[in-house]
Amino acid sequence: MIHEGKLGIEMAHRAAIRSIERVVGENAPLQDPVVASMGIRTMLDKGRVLVLTGAGVSTDSGIPDYRGPRGSLLRHRPMTYQEFLHEPAARHRYWARSFVGWRHMDKASPNPIHHRLAAWETTEKISGIVTQNVDGLHVAAGSRNVIALHGDLERIACLNCGAFEDRRSLDVRLHEANPGYLESIDLDPSLVNPDGDVSLDQKHVEAFTMVGCLVCGSEALKPNVVYFGENVPAERKARLKELEADSSALLVIGSSLAVMSGYKLLLDALAAGKRVGLINGGPTRGDAKADFRWRANIAEALDLLELPAPADPATEQRRRPL
């Protein structure tokens, strides 16, 4: 990356890579699922719980996660913000891959987890959703108070002039510039990555033709997404603070909390004296700090939370006649 301030760019890029490669391992004993589920149920019964969601809520919609047992990080490293800014060849490779993979993302539909959370918002069990996902599926499911912490794939930003374009509009232009390109590629949907691109060989990358910004003509285009090495916009942070202040507790669903922007919500909740619950299929960075940690299939866990609370064995014993 040859550019003024090269050392600073390299340092930011390396920090982003470290964040991408962070491994979340076991850091606390497993909690009794009954204790965990009852604690989370109590939080939801009180109402106004802030929910933080990660890639684990969208895997049932056909979108892979990053760090799960079959996560995309096993085969693919996402672009960093510094690469988008300063490496035209890397940016071109991303757009070739994204042109192929995006149509799979665009076809994804909300799954029962998204719909369940939307229903909980209407009954005020939850105050809103902060999502680390960029797929837009919470809004598609009917959730209204949603903060897409890392943005979404629906809009494209020009890094040169700041103009925005709808992703579908860009896709039409890419189709016109690349006739027959999609037909030449046999896409395996399971290889589409959470940020919307898919692995391609160098031959297909070189054959791809990129289009320019509608305003200034620059090919320095980037999804309106916060990439590794990039900061969450200040106005989004301000809205997040308001939602945190209006919430009674924090429930993290489907996130390993490996990324600091999500983990900070857990730290904020603990600093404010609020309870924290976790529902995830694997370990999370916050296991040792959370009040309740439920290691479970997410869809099944949310179904169980909709059922009447199981009877307390001690209470049932006291009710029995002598």
Side-chain angles (χ1 to χ4, degrees):
M1 286 179 275
I2 306 300
H3 192 271
E4 184 179 356
K6 179 180 177 181
L7 179 59
I9 293 168
E10 289 287 356
M11 290 178 64
H13 174 69
R14 289 171 188 164
I17 296 298
R18 287 196 297 271
S19 180
I20 291 171
E21 295 178 343
R22 180 176 290 115
V23 175
V24 177
E26 300 289 356
N27 57 76
L30 293 177
Q31 192 173 39
D32 184 328
V34 174
V35 173
S37 61
M38 290 299 290
I40 291 171
R41 183 187 294 272
T42 300
M43 289 167 48
L44 292 167
D45 287 345
K46 182 179 179 181
R48 308 297 299 166
V49 175
L50 175 60
V51 171
L52 170 66
T53 65
V57 307
S58 290
T59 54
D60 287 353
S61 294
I63 300 174
D65 60 9
Y66 278 115
R67 291 179 170 83
R70 292 178 294 278
S72 66
L73 286 181
L74 297 175
R75 63 176 188 274
H76 161 77
R77 175 180 71 73
M79 287 272 286
T80 69
Y81 181 56
Q82 290 69 35
E83 287 171 318
F84 260 107
L85 284 175
H86 305 293
E87 293 192 8
R91 198 165 55 230
H92 182 88
R93 182 173 63 249
Y94 168 82
W95 280 115
R97 293 154 56 131
S98 178
F99 178 52
V100 177
W102 180 78
R103 57 216 66 264
H104 175 73
M105 294 284 288
D106 193 43
K107 291 177 183 176
S109 300
N111 64 55
I113 299 171
H114 298 106
H115 289 296
R116 179 84 70 198
L117 293 174
W120 284 358
E121 184 183 5
T122 63
T123 59
E124 297 190 348
K125 282 187 175 182
I126 67 175
S127 58
I129 297 170
V130 179
T131 184
Q132 297 173 299
N133 301 336
V134 297
D135 50 40
L137 294 181
H138 284 300
V139 173
S143 291
R144 299 181 303 276
N145 199 10
V146 179
I147 297 177
L149 192 62
H150 298 151
D152 62 65
L153 292 170
E154 292 294 313
R155 290 206 303 167
I156 305 304
C158 176
L159 297 172
N160 183 57
C161 73
F164 288 98
E165 182 180 5
D166 182 81
R167 181 65 178 84
R168 290 175 179 81
S169 168
L170 176 68
D171 196 58
V172 170
R173 298 199 294 125
L174 289 174
H175 268 285
E176 293 172 350
N178 294 275
Y181 187 84
L182 293 175
E183 292 76 10
S184 71
I185 297 170
D186 184 18
L187 173 63
D188 181 350
S190 69
L191 298 181
V192 177
N193 301 310
D195 47 2
D197 68 351
V198 64
S199 296
L200 292 179
D201 58 39
Q202 188 60 27
K203 177 185 71 173
H204 284 105
V205 171
E206 292 173 356
F208 174 74
T209 299
M210 185 55 185
V211 298
C213 171
L214 288 171
V215 175
C216 71
S218 171
E219 292 184 7
L221 302 180
K222 171 183 162 295
N224 190 34
V225 166
V226 177
Y227 277 81
F228 290 94
E230 186 177 6
N231 293 323
V232 174
E235 64 274 13
R236 202 172 298 162
K237 290 181 180 179
R239 186 181 166 209
L240 175 57
K241 282 294 182 186
E242 293 177 358
L243 189 53
E244 285 181 294
D246 189 44
S247 302
S248 64
L250 175 68
L251 177 59
V252 180
I253 303 177
S255 173
S256 66
L257 295 175
V259 178
M260 188 62 196
S261 57
Y263 184 56
K264 188 176 183 303
L265 268 71
L266 179 143
L267 299 179
D268 288 347
L270 294 175
K274 298 178 181 179
R275 293 222 156 166
V276 173
L278 309 172
I279 304 176
N280 199 44
T284 85
R285 192 177 176 184
D287 283 357
K289 297 180 180 294
D291 298 283
F292 309 110
R293 49 189 184 276
W294 191 2
R295 188 74 60 82
N297 175 279
I298 295 169
E300 294 173 1
L302 268 56
D303 284 344
L304 287 173
L305 290 171
E306 281 291 286
L307 298 176
D312 179 7
T315 302
E316 288 298 302
Q317 182 67 34
R318 289 195 295 271
R319 287 176 178 170
R320 293 175 184 171
L322 298 175

